[in-house]
Amino acid sequence: GDRQNQLLPKKIEAFGGQRVVAVSTGGKHSLALTANGAVWSWGGGGFGKLGHGDTQKQLLPKNIEALAGLGHGDDVSRQLLPKKIEVWSRE
């Protein structure tokens, strides 16, 4: 990985052929759910927001081990996604 801005979508080689079924992004980090139920995060790790038990930056997607074994694909997204979505902003 690198810190270069991308103007177009780019294949993330770190997934090594795994099928990504959902992606969510924040201002400084991203999350991905693969078809086998694994949840991956990368980007800025401030305040432990990547879920790896530290505050380190991750330039490449890293599996969130604490979420291993939740299920597969749609089953996991149903468990992780709220029924009601709220958006908060600092104006």
Side-chain angles (χ1 to χ4, degrees):
D2 59 48
R3 296 180 183 189
Q4 300 297 317
N5 290 330
Q6 300 295 322
L7 297 177
L8 299 172
K10 184 177 179 181
K11 182 177 180 181
I12 300 175
E13 300 293 336
F15 286 116
Q18 296 184 64
R19 189 168 65 94
V20 174
V21 296
V23 175
S24 178
T25 63
K28 296 185 179 182
H29 67 287
S30 299
L31 299 167
L33 173 66
T34 54
N36 67 354
V39 182
W40 301 74
S41 66
W42 65 101
F47 305 104
K49 64 186 163 197
L50 295 180
H52 303 295
D54 59 30
T55 58
Q56 300 297 310
K57 292 178 184 176
Q58 295 292 328
L59 292 179
L60 296 172
K62 182 176 178 181
N63 190 323
I64 303 176
E65 295 177 16
L67 298 178
L70 287 178
H72 296 284
D74 290 339
D75 293 336
V76 175
S77 61
R78 279 191 212 101
Q79 293 174 30
L80 296 178
L81 296 175
K83 296 196 183 337
K84 178 180 174 186
I85 298 174
E86 295 182 25
V87 177
W88 297 81
S89 175
R90 288 186 283 171
E91 295 185 282

